[in-house]
Amino acid sequence: MKAAELVDSRTPLWRQLEAFCIQLENRGERAKLGAHRRTEFAALYRSACADLALADAHQLPSETVRYLHQLVGRAHNQLYRTQGLESQSWWTEMFERVPRRLFHDRALRLSALLFWGGFLLSAFLASGYTPYPQFAEQVITKDGMLAVEEMYADPPSLGRGFNQNAQMAGFYIFHNAGIGLRCFVMGIFLGVGGLFAITFNAVYLGAIFGHMSTTAQSENFFNFVTAHGPFELTAIVMSGAAGMRLGFAIVKTNGLSRRESVLAAARQALPTMMAAVLLFIGAAFIEGFISPSAIPYPIKALVAMISSLLLLGYLVVLGYSTQPDDDADEQLALR
Amino acid sequence: MPLTASQIDSHVQVVTPENIAFEYRVAGPFGRVMAYLIDTVIFALAILAISIVFGLVFSALDLGGVAELVIAVLAFILYWFYGGLFEALWNGQTPGKRMTGLRVVRTDGRPINAVQAVLRNVLRIADSLPIVFIPDFFFGEAPLVYQTYLLALVSMTLTRRNQRVGDLVCSTMVVAEDRSRFGKVPAPDEPELDKLLEAIPANFVPSRSLAKALSHYVGRRRYFGPARRQEIAKHVGDLLVARLRLPPDTDHDLLLCALYVRAFHKDDAGGDDDALIAPRVPIPAAAPVPVQPVGPTPSSTPSPPKPTSGAPFA
């Protein structure tokens, strides 16, 4: 039997497999496919695989071989599919594994140290007790200082209706969570980008805090920022840490190959980043609806305290464990 | 180190769990930019539609601010997770990739998981660096921010699988799914072919490499004009004419077609290797039927002596 006859005898099977592929690629049609038809698909796929494997031995024409390559690839993509989002595992991920991981995360400690250290130092340098009076102006620039002062010229309760609050909350989500994700992404440049992003934000925010404490608008300013501060600043620290974790994994591989090390770190860092995004969203709602309202200051301070306690509870109560279960994570990432 | 053919022609080999090696064609930057543009247009249209719908609905209720909140949240989700969500749910494809026939798979050919899908799309921000500001674009308004994607381009150029930074981190690649239909084995049917076939010595069987070259040639010759065919066929045709002792005015193109027919179509030698290439995998047509053992055929195999009823006990 020559190649042409062989091809003729196999063509119906190949066409059948191709028809299956077309059916499987269409979501609506796929649902109609019964179980025994699917086993038929697997058998057809295996026979096409066998034909491809023996193509050289059978001296099939090159066009047929090319067709077989694409047919097998196409069927392979339908047989081995993405598993979707697996909602169940995301829940346990968020409330069991992420806090445990954060509790032991050295990148988080480094990120928090850099952020809060830089923040306090910068606030001190920009405040009234500074040994270096030009600091605030050099960091924020003259225009920036004027803009911030003007922003807090009125006490928060004035001139904001419900609609404007909602609008601002939307803006904060888009803007602040975007900054957090950028912090995260910059981390992959060996962690250096993340270190830079965290330090920059710490110094800049610290300078604004320090400077505002010296101005006439300081009461308005602190009235505004207190309530949402804990969530928002923690979220920035967390996104920076998640990014650094990704970047450091390129350098410190723990005996894995670099590619596997990054994959394992990504498996751990992404849920952490999602937790940070959720924090940003929570902060945005507080910033949109509570911070600018006429609620008396003690209640806003109470909101800040409750949110701090929630964060501590998340990190310490949910997170407390003798050792991280990262080995299991690495296994998952490699699977 | 010299490059092999597969390194030049952008095919990567994937070994399936069935231990079969097949080839994917990796998509290059210019194939992928089309998918990106389509996705960008879809994204912009989606934002526009969302804005119009929610804007109308909520401003009718006098809640314009809530509309902006909803729009901002949806815009945030779409901006950061459009690609990730689609690739996780659509088996590695976004609408743009589906239209252009691309798919994201792992570098070992397996499907991506949700973490990889989301992460490689979030890391797009790193790939889009460096950012260029074009100030005063619209009459002194806010500067236009333009993402150059130079880092992605450099990274794709330097890696064999055309991976951008997000792909490298997630160990993924973008492959082009070929949707070509099956073409029959080409059968040249020029009228003079039979005569030439008889002129070729019956014992001449094209070698394996020659057969491969012939199939490449015949598969593509329909795209060439007569002069070009002669020009291409001349190189090997001269040698073959001399070796087969054919008349020197033999048409080279026709000769290659005749040899192709000899190699792939006409079977004069008789099926000596039929057993090797008989269909191996029985495919159940509708319901799986247990394979019946072939009954003894009286002509070829001697049937075992059947116990004929009767004789000893009669």
Side-chain angles (χ1 to χ4, degrees):
Chain A
M1 184 151 73
K2 281 275 165 98
E5 295 167 47
L6 177 73
V7 169
D8 281 343
S9 74
R10 292 292 199 285
T11 306
L13 301 183
W14 296 340
R15 283 208 196 287
Q16 229 176 322
L17 181 60
E18 199 174 315
F20 264 118
C21 284
I22 293 169
Q23 208 172 358
L24 285 167
E25 279 157 13
N26 184 323
R27 293 178 76 78
E29 292 284 315
R30 193 193 315 154
K32 289 185 214 151
L33 217 56
H36 72 275
R37 301 273 295 158
R38 292 185 186 219
T39 57
E40 206 178 312
F41 168 75
L44 284 168
Y45 167 67
R46 280 194 299 275
S47 100
C49 277
D51 286 336
L52 178 60
L54 294 173
D56 201 40
H58 292 169
Q59 293 206 37
L60 296 183
S62 58
E63 282 205 336
T64 312
V65 175
R66 207 172 332 135
Y67 169 78
L68 275 177
H69 273 298
Q70 70 93 5
L71 181 66
V72 169
R74 198 172 169 183
H76 177 267
N77 282 340
Q78 294 308 319
L79 192 64
Y80 301 97
R81 298 185 65 86
T82 308
Q83 293 305 309
L85 291 174
E86 304 160 64
S87 56
Q88 185 69 38
S89 70
W90 278 92
W91 179 261
T92 56
E93 191 71 43
M94 279 300 165
F95 290 97
E96 285 175 25
R97 310 188 64 176
V98 168
R100 254 184 251 169
R101 207 175 288 144
L102 286 173
F103 188 74
H104 293 277
D105 193 352
R106 293 217 192 95
L108 182 71
R109 289 177 211 166
L110 177 64
S111 173
L113 185 74
L114 268 181
F115 185 83
W116 290 111
F119 181 86
L120 291 177
L121 183 68
S122 169
F124 169 70
L125 285 176
S127 71
Y129 309 99
T130 176
Y132 187 67
Q134 314 93 304
F135 180 80
E137 194 183 326
Q138 283 176 353
V139 174
I140 333 176
T141 73
K142 200 86 190 157
D143 290 344
M145 286 162 83
L146 285 176
V148 187
E149 282 167 30
E150 197 190 315
M151 223 154 89
Y152 298 101
D154 297 323
S157 53
L158 285 179
R160 279 250 195 134
F162 172 78
N163 273 334
Q164 208 188 347
N165 284 345
Q167 177 196 341
M168 287 315 286
F171 170 76
Y172 293 136
I173 289 176
F174 190 86
H175 184 252
N176 295 354
I179 288 181
L181 280 163
R182 269 169 230 273
C183 271
F184 167 68
V185 169
M186 291 311 135
I188 61 155
F189 297 114
L190 305 183
V192 179
L195 291 175
F196 172 78
I198 285 294
T199 317
F200 174 81
N201 277 310
V203 170
Y204 194 82
L205 284 177
I208 287 181
F209 269 70
H211 171 68
M212 289 310 286
S213 70
T214 65
T215 58
Q217 294 89 353
S218 69
E219 197 177 322
N220 296 342
F221 177 76
F222 287 108
N223 194 339
F224 182 81
V225 296
T226 305
H228 61 266
F231 273 178
E232 196 165 292
L233 300 183
T234 311
I236 287 194
V237 171
M238 273 169 66
S239 24
M244 280 181 221
R245 184 155 200 159
L246 215 54
F248 292 152
I250 303 175
V251 182
K252 183 170 183 288
T253 60
N254 289 328
L256 299 169
S257 77
R258 285 194 206 284
R259 175 159 297 184
E260 285 168 348
S261 163
V262 171
L263 257 183
R267 177 76 185 67
Q268 297 163 7
L270 195 70
T272 313
M273 188 57 229
M274 291 305 120
V277 167
L278 291 182
L279 274 188
F280 273 118
I281 292 174
F285 275 98
I286 298 176
E287 188 174 359
F289 290 99
I290 298 178
S291 300
S293 68
I295 298 172
Y297 185 72
I299 296 191
K300 289 186 184 174
L302 188 67
V303 170
M305 278 183 239
I306 291 173
S307 45
S308 303
L309 281 178
L310 281 178
L311 281 173
L312 272 180
Y314 184 72
L315 287 179
V316 179
V317 177
L318 289 179
Y320 183 81
S321 57
T322 47
Q323 60 184 30
D325 48 5
D326 280 354
D327 291 344
D329 287 336
E330 275 157 20
Q331 292 304 316
L332 268 177
L334 299 181
R335 184 134 54 82
Chain B
M1 194 174 68
L3 292 170
T4 62
S6 70
Q7 280 169 308
I8 296 169
D9 73 356
S10 80
H11 281 86
V12 291
Q13 209 174 49
V14 164
V15 180
T16 71
E18 293 79 17
N19 208 14
I20 303 295
F22 69 90
E23 283 173 356
Y24 272 130
R25 195 163 58 76
V26 177
F30 299 101
R32 288 165 69 170
V33 88
M34 266 316 291
Y36 172 74
L37 289 179
I38 292 174
D39 282 331
T40 310
V41 169
I42 291 175
F43 167 76
L45 289 179
I47 296 285
L48 191 68
I50 288 169
S51 307
I52 291 173
V53 169
F54 284 97
L56 287 178
V57 169
F58 282 100
S59 51
L61 303 168
D62 201 20
L63 291 168
V66 179
E68 290 196 43
L69 170 65
V70 174
I71 292 166
V73 170
L74 289 177
F76 170 75
I77 292 172
L78 277 182
Y79 183 82
W80 286 96
F81 303 109
Y82 169 90
L85 289 177
F86 270 117
E87 281 169 18
L89 297 173
W90 277 16
N91 197 15
Q93 287 185 315
T94 61
K97 287 198 177 72
R98 175 167 279 202
M99 279 180 219
T100 48
L102 304 180
R103 192 188 293 278
V104 187
V105 294
R106 292 190 208 194
T107 44
D108 59 4
R110 286 183 301 159
I112 55 171
N113 60 26
V115 171
Q116 285 169 316
V118 172
L119 190 64
R120 72 180 289 281
N121 281 287
V122 168
L123 291 177
R124 186 181 290 283
I125 292 295
D127 277 302
S128 70
L129 294 177
I131 293 171
V132 175
F133 286 96
I134 305 175
D136 294 337
F137 189 72
F138 291 117
F139 313 107
E141 289 289 313
L144 189 77
V145 181
Y146 178 69
Q147 300 176 319
T148 57
Y149 277 91
L150 275 184
L151 186 61
L153 198 61
V154 170
S155 163
M156 282 190 206
T157 320
L158 294 180
T159 50
R160 200 166 80 63
R161 297 191 179 92
N162 289 339
Q163 290 166 299
R164 60 178 175 84
V165 174
D167 287 323
L168 283 173
V169 170
C170 303
S171 293
T172 55
M173 62 179 175
V174 179
V175 296
E177 282 202 324
D178 195 354
R179 291 286 166 78
S180 60
R181 306 284 301 180
F182 179 67
K184 290 195 88 63
V185 177
D189 53 350
E190 270 75 359
E192 307 89 14
L193 211 57
D194 285 333
K195 227 164 74 189
L196 189 58
L197 264 174
E198 280 166 22
I200 298 173
N203 61 353
F204 179 76
V205 177
S207 70
R208 181 157 289 200
S209 60
L210 179 60
K212 205 167 185 178
L214 288 171
S215 89
H216 279 303
Y217 175 72
V218 174
R220 282 166 205 173
R221 82 188 254 280
R222 63 174 179 271
Y223 301 117
F224 304 133
R228 187 92 180 107
R229 287 181 191 173
Q230 294 300 339
E231 189 188 340
I232 295 171
K234 186 176 184 309
H235 301 284
V236 66
D238 273 341
L239 297 173
L240 285 171
V241 165
R243 187 161 152 205
L244 301 176
R245 302 213 179 82
L246 293 169
D249 62 339
T250 309
D251 187 306
H252 291 146
D253 171 53
L254 214 55
L255 174 61
L256 293 193
C257 289
L259 287 173
Y260 176 84
V261 170
R262 169 70 60 86
F264 290 104
H265 282 284
K266 293 275 168 56
D267 189 13
D268 300 328
D272 51 345
D273 51 1
D274 269 3
L276 180 71
I277 45 183
R280 291 166 307 277
V281 187
I283 303 297
V289 179
V291 180
Q292 298 262 329
V294 180
T297 45
S299 64
S300 60
T301 49
S303 50
K306 280 180 187 163
T308 45
S309 63
F313 303 102

